[in-house]
Amino acid sequence: MIQSLDRLKIGDKFFNSRLMLGSGKYRTMEDAVNSIIKSECEIVTVAVRRLPTNLTNDNTSFLKFLDWNKLWLLPNTAGSQTAEEAIRMAYLGHELACQIGQENNFFVKLEVISDPKYLLPDPIGTLKAAEFLVKKGFTVLPYINADPMLALHLEDLGCATVMPLGSPIGSGQGLKNLSNIQIIIENSNIPVIVDAGIGTPSEATMAMELGADAVLLNTAVAQSNNPEQMASAMKLGVQAGRLAYLAGRMKKKSYANPSSPLNQISQLL
């Protein structure tokens, strides 16, 4: 029921799943393909730099083994240190999308990271690249620090989402920026996707309970002992968090309150 009535809208596309998966760091191609299938995600992000420029004659890429009638490619500008590099990767990403039959796919996960140690996104470079790509008709999903003001600026530019990090990429530290992520969610009129740092299904659930519209993760699945099983667990964690958010939690009370009040029991007798 939740899938048919509560869909995620990014740009002009609708999705049933609110879990997005990355495609790097898997031990084998089979792990990557099977984990994506088990997760039942509908958006798969791929670093453009890691793909061959021509998929037609390449039979080694895992992209060949996925059903792109059911999945949507999210090209990623990972590895770009400047806005100019990211813009170039965005155009290459669209060309790769065309090669798998998604000619109308102008989605791009925008990453501009000039810091090689902590891999924190560059806000100035991200703004610059986002403004250019939005004007060129791209559906821009920018990866950012959990900065509420930056999120508002990117929304004003016309970005389709904002993607604040929970903690540094691949760290598995969980949600270290809860208060700022909460502010971003409360003030955003576009989907908020928590990206990076999530290590467990409970952390994915927490992000969704806050009101995030989706979660994007990679390392937590790819580097687990059993990637397929972890992908299934993440799917359930995201679904549980979304259902809980829609249901609305009970109000916290200062004192204990019996689950079976005496006046309620007397009414039943």
Side-chain angles (χ1 to χ4, degrees), residues 131-167:
E131 182 174 18
F132 180 89
L133 291 170
V134 167
K135 288 180 179 178
K136 295 298 181 179
F138 281 83
T139 301
V140 180
L141 292 74
Y143 170 64
I144 62 170
N145 285 298
D147 181 338
M149 293 310 300
L150 176 60
L152 288 175
H153 285 309
L154 289 164
E155 180 179 333
D156 289 341
L157 285 179
C159 289
T161 72
V162 287
M163 305 179 75
L165 56 83
S167 54

Side-chain angles (χ1 to χ4, degrees), residues 70-90:
K70 297 179 180 178
L71 296 170
W72 192 248
L73 181 67
L74 176 57
N76 185 345
T77 68
S80 300
Q81 296 185 339
T82 66
E84 290 74 19
E85 288 182 29
I87 290 167
R88 179 173 176 271
M89 287 298 108

Side-chain angles (χ1 to χ4, degrees), residues 101-113:
Q102 296 183 359
E103 290 81 4
N104 62 335
N105 185 346
F106 284 88
F107 274 45
V108 58
K109 183 190 174 192
L110 177 59
E111 290 189 21
V112 182
I113 299 176

